[in-house]
Amino acid sequence: MSANGQRRFFSSATRRSAEAALGRAWDSFHELIKDWRAKAGLTMLLIIIGIGIIGPFVAPYSPFNTSFTAWQPPSSAHPFGTDYIGEDVLSWFLVGTATSLYVGFIIAVSAAALGTLVGVVAGYFGSIVDDALMRFVDVLLIIPGFPLLVILSAYFPPTVTSTIIILSILSWPFLSRVIRSQTLTLKQRPYIMASKLSGLGSMRIIWRDIIPNLLPLIFINVIFLVVGAVVAQAGLAFFGLGDLKSVNWGTMLYWFEAQDGIVYDAWWWLLPPGFGILVLAVGANFLSNAVSAMTNKTRR
Amino acid sequence: MVVTIFIALTLNFLLPRLIPGNIALTILFDKYGSHLKPQDLKLIESQLDLHGSLLQQYQIYLVQVAHLNFGYSFYNYPESVSSIIAQSLPWTIFLLGSATVISVLIGVFYGSYIGWKSGTRQESFLSTFAITLSSLPYFWLALLLQLFLAVVITVDGVHLFPVALAYSTSVTPGANLPFILSVLHHLALPLMTLVITTYPGYALLMRNTIVNVLGEDYMLMAMAKGLRVERIRKRYVTRNAILPVSTSVALSIGYIVGGAFIVEEIFSYPGIGYQLYQAVTNFDFPLIQGIFLIITLSVIFANFAVDLIYAFLDPRVTLK
């Protein structure tokens, strides 16, 4: 048997378990998509993601091209008008969608990894480990997030990297609670017992039996983490924190406010980033509503 | 609760000391260094108190906090941090308190209404409406309200609502009618922003719990006994459904604080969030830390208070 074949042989059991879990997830996805709210929610998310992916390539100008007249209302040359130094708002929106989503996605994935790790370890090992970790999580959940975010950002240099690190550190606690309670129920399943009796180590059980079964739950939470991160980023920008030169929805709103867009009645500058966040959040909430309706139905 | 307070205190102490190269000091000297007198510098040094071992510094810090002494604000020197907090905290409590009470009331009524209508087309429409409202980013809503209700729309050349501040400069603060009216007039837009974005969450939760309560066995029993619908609604359904809502109020306080801060910043409402914004833009580190500590402690106490109220609402819960 070649080394490759050997590896395939040993990992086939893992893959079978993972495939079964994914198969189940696929079935419930089909069930889910029958709900009109799930359909509408997914469509909204896909529209925003689509804008984020193709936006930077189709943006008519560079967002930093200041050669146009400032404070122009929408026209055929500038469908979303121009801002206070004559930058094209449409280009800002298209590029900004990509940045907001990209940063939000990195934050969501790292927070999900951290939350899953803490949740699974606490749920699987129980006793003192569980107590200590969940105590810590409770404290993090009770400390008001936004002031903590502000104080951390005030001490870190104002770069996108700092924002990503700070938001990742602050976003995971809630997910870890969800993952922990799910792990507690998974732990009681017969196949986990079987794995334990066959002498598998804890790490392998977690990796090949528990994590694959948590994937759908993690996936849906990543969506909410992305929305949360996008909103938090914008909130930070409002306090003049984070990298204000970065082009994203938050900095669009920040510059609107800082440059007195209100006084110029510049509604064309205010609407696009807000609608972006709104559509993203409504999409995620519709989806979550459909998911909880489905889980309630199966429970009954 | 004691553990949480202790961790918050320690975090507040360690944060500025963990950052390498003490950014606080660097920025401070860049910004104020040129026009600071030597005695001021000495004072700041003793205030940041970077002498002695970490343990000694921690001891001094705890004693100062116990005396509500958070040092002096850099930007508003020689005003002390605690006096700035004392001036601005009442405005935030006023805004947050009224927003929470109104959102809970609207949320409970809205939620009970759609909960009872569960399964109808009207319910589906109203729930969808609530979900959409709850997804509104509050800072965007604040800017929209400010733009349209305080700038664009005018009636006879007069704006409907003021753009900023907590009361008009033409009234004298005190217990007089013009002042109170002015305060309420200025409160309207910030309050609207917070209420519109928070009540749908309570409404949706209320609807879900009402649907669950309606499925309980004791509801069947109550119906079978032939109790009047009105009595069932008040004594059986609402009373039970309100419990999870009160828990969620406690959990969301920390979140609403963040929303209130940004709303205060947008409307230049002189609460603690606006002060925090000022402090951040001026790199006023003692003020930032003082505000963080006070807000964290307030939220912890608010949670504790809700726990006490919960025991009162639900007789099955006993206080240990």
Side-chain angles (χ1 to χ4, degrees):
Chain A
M1 206 185 276
S2 70
N4 201 21
Q6 219 165 7
R7 208 176 302 130
R8 209 180 301 144
F9 175 76
F10 282 118
S11 67
S12 67
T14 310
R15 202 184 306 138
R16 218 174 301 138
S17 177
E19 265 168 15
L22 283 178
R24 275 195 299 281
W26 186 244
D27 289 345
S28 35
F29 178 74
H30 265 283
E31 188 62 34
L32 178 68
I33 211 75
K34 283 181 193 150
D35 189 332
W36 73 269
R37 274 183 195 159
K39 248 181 246 161
L42 263 184
T43 315
M44 290 182 202
L45 292 179
L46 288 178
I47 289 174
I48 295 290
I49 293 172
I51 294 177
I53 292 172
I54 58 169
F57 301 105
V58 296
Y61 312 99
S62 152
F64 299 115
N65 184 345
T66 54
S67 58
F68 312 109
T69 320
W71 301 113
Q72 280 184 71
S75 62
S76 54
H78 304 282
F80 286 6
T82 57
D83 66 6
Y84 74 110
I85 38 169
E87 291 161 342
D88 182 52
V89 176
L90 176 63
S91 305
W92 261 75
F93 176 70
L94 291 173
V95 177
T97 307
T99 333
S100 280
L101 285 185
Y102 171 68
V103 172
F105 188 72
I106 297 180
I107 293 168
V109 169
S110 36
L114 206 58
T116 306
L117 180 73
V118 173
V120 167
V121 167
Y124 185 80
F125 292 104
S127 69
I128 304 174
V129 183
D130 187 25
D131 279 350
L133 286 176
M134 285 304 117
R135 212 49 209 281
F136 181 60
V137 166
D138 281 345
V139 171
L140 284 182
L141 281 175
I142 209 173
I143 292 179
F146 188 72
L148 185 58
L149 190 58
V150 167
I151 194 171
L152 281 174
S153 311
Y155 282 113
F156 276 88
T159 60
V160 177
T161 321
S162 311
T163 307
I164 291 177
I165 294 174
I166 294 167
L167 278 175
S168 309
I169 294 174
L170 293 185
S171 315
W172 63 269
F174 183 73
L175 177 67
S176 74
R177 277 216 154 272
V178 177
I179 294 289
R180 172 185 169 268
S181 50
Q182 189 63 27
T183 309
L184 283 180
T185 65
L186 282 178
K187 206 167 72 168
Q188 308 299 330
R189 301 279 166 86
Y191 57 85
I192 305 279
M193 283 298 166
S195 298
K196 263 190 194 160
L197 287 176
S198 69
L200 283 183
S202 304
M203 282 306 137
R204 294 205 59 181
I205 295 179
I206 287 178
W207 189 244
R208 59 170 256 187
D209 289 334
I210 292 184
I211 302 267
N213 282 294
L214 288 172
L215 277 180
L217 186 69
I218 297 172
F219 180 74
I220 198 94
N221 272 286
V222 164
I223 297 179
F224 301 123
L225 284 169
V226 171
V227 177
V230 167
V231 172
Q233 239 180 296
L236 265 189
F238 255 98
F239 263 56
L241 294 164
D243 183 6
L244 296 172
K245 288 194 196 75
S246 147
V247 178
N248 63 51
W249 290 340
T251 47
M252 281 179 88
L253 290 169
Y254 169 79
W255 290 113
F256 172 86
E257 221 242 336
Q259 299 298 329
D260 292 325
I262 293 275
V263 180
Y264 293 88
D265 289 354
W267 50 268
W268 57 87
W269 191 13
L270 173 60
L271 291 183
F275 265 117
I277 300 177
L278 180 64
V279 172
L280 196 65
V282 171
N285 279 333
F286 274 10
L287 201 60
S288 120
N289 220 269
V291 169
S292 62
M294 193 180 73
T295 45
N296 279 341
K297 211 189 291 168
T298 46
R299 210 182 291 146
R300 267 179 209 143
Chain B
M1 189 175 90
V2 178
V3 179
T4 319
I5 291 177
F6 179 72
I7 292 183
L9 281 171
T10 312
L11 197 65
N12 197 42
F13 168 79
L14 283 179
L15 269 181
R17 288 165 176 84
L18 283 178
I19 311 296
N22 204 332
I23 295 182
L25 269 185
T26 323
I27 292 173
L28 200 71
F29 282 108
D30 279 358
K31 204 167 153 62
Y32 302 106
S34 52
H35 49 106
L36 276 180
K37 294 187 199 78
Q39 61 262 41
D40 291 339
L41 285 178
K42 218 168 243 160
L43 186 122
I44 288 169
E45 244 170 46
S46 69
Q47 214 191 91
L48 289 170
D49 207 61
L50 300 168
H51 307 295
S53 73
L54 210 59
L55 212 61
Q56 279 169 329
Q57 291 179 27
Y58 191 51
Q59 198 186 346
I60 296 169
Y61 163 81
L62 284 183
V63 171
Q64 284 186 332
V65 168
H67 290 95
L68 289 181
N69 177 8
F70 305 117
Y72 296 93
S73 156
F74 286 162
Y75 187 69
N76 304 295
Y77 186 80
E79 207 173 348
S80 75
V81 168
S82 29
S83 85
I84 295 178
I85 292 177
Q87 284 161 22
S88 49
L89 196 58
W91 289 110
T92 300
I93 294 175
F94 179 50
L95 173 64
L96 259 180
S98 43
T100 308
V101 170
I102 296 174
S103 340
V104 169
L105 285 178
I106 299 181
V108 164
F109 282 108
Y110 192 104
S112 340
Y113 183 76
I114 55 179
W116 276 95
K117 300 243 166 185
S118 175
T120 63
R121 182 172 283 212
Q122 195 187 8
E123 185 263 349
S124 163
F125 174 76
L126 287 174
S127 306
T128 310
F129 179 70
I131 294 175
T132 313
L133 277 192
S134 72
S135 322
L136 273 173
Y138 39 84
F139 37 84
W140 188 56
L141 180 68
L143 288 171
L144 282 181
L145 289 177
Q146 195 181 36
L147 180 62
F148 288 104
L149 295 184
V151 178
V152 174
I153 300 173
T154 53
V155 177
D156 298 332
V158 181
H159 296 298
L160 292 179
F161 292 101
V163 180
L165 301 180
Y167 53 87
S168 146
T169 44
S170 60
V171 296
T172 39
N176 56 57
L177 193 63
F179 174 70
I180 294 170
L181 287 179
S182 174
V183 165
L184 293 179
H185 195 204
H186 283 74
L187 181 70
L189 287 185
L191 185 68
M192 245 191 264
T193 312
L194 289 179
V195 169
I196 292 176
T197 46
T198 42
Y199 93 82
Y202 300 137
L204 291 169
L205 183 67
M206 187 77 188
R207 181 206 63 178
N208 289 347
T209 46
I210 283 204
V211 171
N212 283 341
V213 170
L214 286 177
E216 296 276 0
D217 289 342
Y218 59 76
M219 284 302 302
L220 194 66
M221 181 67 187
M223 300 274 193
K225 278 198 293 189
L227 291 181
R228 275 184 292 122
V229 176
E230 199 47 36
R231 190 180 162 85
I232 294 180
R233 186 182 291 220
K234 271 198 190 134
R235 302 288 294 269
Y236 285 71
V237 181
T238 311
R239 188 110 195 250
N240 276 302
I242 219 149
L243 294 172
V245 175
S246 63
T247 318
S248 123
V249 170
L251 287 175
S252 57
I253 290 174
Y255 177 76
I256 305 173
V257 164
F261 277 17
I262 296 177
V263 167
E264 280 179 7
E265 196 260 305
I266 292 172
F267 290 103
S268 306
Y269 198 80
I272 208 156
Y274 184 66
Q275 287 298 344
L276 181 63
Y277 168 69
Q278 295 281 325
V280 166
T281 39
N282 295 316
F283 301 103
D284 194 343
F285 288 96
L287 189 54
I288 296 179
Q289 285 196 252
I291 291 176
F292 173 70
L293 196 61
I294 286 293
I295 283 300
T296 309
L297 294 183
S298 312
V299 169
I300 294 172
F301 279 120
N303 270 285
F304 184 63
V306 173
D307 277 353
L308 292 181
I309 297 171
Y310 195 86
F312 172 73
L313 281 175
D314 186 351
R316 286 169 301 184
V317 178
T318 48
L319 293 175
K320 271 183 239 161

